[in-house]
Amino acid sequence: MRDINDDELVSVMVPVYFGEKYVVDCLESIRNQTYPNIELLISDDCSMDKSFEVINDWVRIHKERFVRCEVSRHDQNVGISKNYNYLLKKAKGKYLKSIAYDDLFMEDAIEKEVGFLKDNPDDVAVYANAYIIKADDHYPLSKGKKYELFFCNKPNYQGEMSDALFNGSFIPAPTVMLKMETLEKYGFYREDLAFEDWEYWLRITTEGGNIGYLDHPVVGYRMLEFSASHFGTGKDEEARYKTTIESEIKILDNYKDKVNNSSMDAYWNRTLKFCIDRGYDGIIKDINNNVSFCMQPMTRLMLVSKRMGVYKILKKIWFQTKHGR
């Protein structure tokens, strides 16, 4: 076990659910961090694959690399927000770093973000750039392969950060590092939502906290077709997205008096466009029947073309015009 300065301990938390395929990649990326003082906390959310066995096999070999290493397993599935909170309550570090089991760190991720927060003491958290990785990418990432960046340009929002966030979370969650004092001030994640991060960023920024940006890729962010934040086509995917919208509406209602009024219109236009593109007819009907908002010309064009049965044709023409093929 390493010697430790308690003030500089970083708690790395890994919630796992059916992570057998990728969790070792994630854990290896944590083990190989250039930053030494890390406690590793892992919680399996009642996975029915071999995640828990794979994790324990790995920990038996590598636990001495960490100041503290603890593996837990829930007897029944509690969901992502409760699992994150469970891990946060165990954390002892000055800095808190969460990562999904299917993402992975660049080797200097923790070192860079701790350094940023030391250099910017007024920031309560930091987020950063990320490489977008696919299902067949594994740790370590290939040095000969060029990966797409999450931010092609440095984020540039106008006005308050909370106004920009109200239009949707542009912060890639696995890049975020919090301070323990941030958790003590702003509390834990809400457990009544389908996802944990967006509401928390709004909570921080509407209450005056600043989340800094590090213009450096610190994670490999795995964009899978059926991950929690990505949706495909079909009735099952529509039902899954409807659950997400229900959580988003709770968030919007909670913060609508704290941000720019035009953000609500922007949200509904973006949501309706997405549903038109995915063919979520039931949600489209619900929005049209139950929500009053100022519809943008492009949204109206998409909706009319959808009703006329020509949306796919227009989309193909637009794509060919944009990409020249």
Side-chain angles (χ1 to χ4, degrees), residues 252-266:
L252 295 170
D253 286 343
N254 193 53
Y255 291 100
K256 63 184 178 183
D257 296 330
K258 298 181 180 181
V259 294
N260 193 309
N261 290 334
S262 65
S263 295
M264 185 65 82
D265 287 340

Side-chain angles (χ1 to χ4, degrees), residues 48-316:
M48 302 307 292
D49 63 359
K50 294 182 179 179
S51 294
F52 192 59
E53 292 87 343
V54 169
I55 292 166
N56 277 295
D57 287 345
W58 186 90
V59 167
R60 275 193 292 270
I61 299 170
H62 300 296
K63 63 182 178 181
E64 294 303 319
R65 185 270 182 246
F66 303 99
V67 172
R68 171 180 170 227
C69 188
E70 183 176 316
V71 182
S72 307
R73 187 177 191 273
H74 295 290
D75 293 333
Q76 60 184 14
N77 182 257
V78 300
I80 185 65
S81 297
K82 287 185 178 180
N83 204 16
Y84 265 132
N85 282 344
Y86 172 81
L87 290 168
L88 286 168
K89 290 171 184 176
K90 289 178 173 290
K92 298 180 179 179
K94 180 176 180 178
Y95 303 102
L96 307 172
K97 184 73 179 168
S98 300
I99 185 168
Y101 67 86
D102 56 351
D103 298 323
L104 50 88
F105 287 140
M106 300 299 102
E107 291 183 1
D108 61 354
I110 293 176
E111 179 183 353
K112 289 286 188 181
E113 293 197 313
V114 169
F116 182 95
L117 290 174
K118 286 182 176 180
D119 292 340
N120 298 273
D122 292 336
D123 290 343
V124 301
V126 59
Y127 72 105
N129 212 335
Y131 292 118
I132 296 175
I133 62 176
K134 304 298 184 182
D136 58 351
D137 289 314
H138 293 281
Y139 182 84
L141 295 182
S142 172
K143 293 182 179 180
K145 184 175 179 179
K146 187 174 182 180
Y147 296 93
E148 181 183 355
L149 287 170
F150 189 91
F151 295 112
C152 294
N153 299 298
K154 187 175 180 179
N156 181 24
Y157 44 84
Q158 303 299 317
E160 296 293 330
M161 188 177 188
S162 56
D163 288 335
L165 281 167
F166 197 76
N167 286 323
S169 180
F170 52 84
I171 295 177
T175 72
V176 173
M177 177 178 282
L178 304 173
K179 298 175 180 177
M180 177 61 81
E181 62 192 59
T182 303
L183 182 70
E184 294 168 347
K185 181 175 181 178
Y186 297 101
F188 292 89
Y189 293 121
R190 278 180 57 173
E191 296 182 355
D192 61 331
L193 303 173
F195 46 87
E196 80 292 345
D197 52 349
W198 184 31
E199 188 278 335
Y200 203 73
W201 316 147
L202 281 168
R203 193 189 315 172
I204 289 173
T205 56
T206 56
E207 293 183 23
N210 187 64
I211 304 174
Y213 174 70
L214 172 64
D215 196 20
H216 179 80
V218 299
V219 303
Y221 190 13
R222 199 179 301 276
M223 296 292 200
L224 300 177
E225 183 179 359
F226 300 110
S227 65
S229 57
H230 297 84
F231 300 87
T233 57
K235 291 298 182 183
D236 289 344
E237 289 294 281
E238 181 176 355
R240 194 165 70 92
Y241 186 61
K242 187 174 183 180
T243 301
T244 296
I245 289 178
E246 289 168 354
S247 291
E248 289 180 343
I249 290 172
K250 288 182 183 179
I251 296 170
L252 295 170
D253 286 343
N254 193 53
Y255 291 100
K256 63 184 178 183
D257 296 330
K258 298 181 180 181
V259 294
N260 193 309
N261 290 334
S262 65
S263 295
M264 185 65 82
D265 287 340
Y267 168 80
W268 284 114
N269 275 279
R270 185 179 68 255
T271 300
L272 186 55
K273 288 176 183 176
F274 181 83
C275 291
I276 293 169
D277 189 65
R278 289 294 188 272
Y280 296 164
D281 294 340
I283 300 178
I284 294 170
K285 183 178 180 180
D286 286 346
I287 293 174
N288 285 329
N289 290 342
N290 300 309
V291 182
S292 177
F293 65 100
C294 182
M295 193 177 296
Q296 298 167 352
M298 179 56 72
T299 310
R300 193 176 301 278
L301 175 61
M302 290 174 67
L303 186 60
V304 170
S305 66
K306 167 76 174 175
R307 288 171 176 168
M308 295 175 62
V310 296
Y311 171 69
K312 291 183 178 179
I313 296 173
L314 290 180
K315 181 181 178 181
K316 185 176 181 180

Side-chain angles (χ1 to χ4, degrees), residues 315-325:
K315 181 181 178 181
K316 185 176 181 180
I317 293 172
W318 175 83
F319 182 87
Q320 291 175 334
T321 301
K322 181 178 180 180
H323 298 278
R325 61 179 189 274

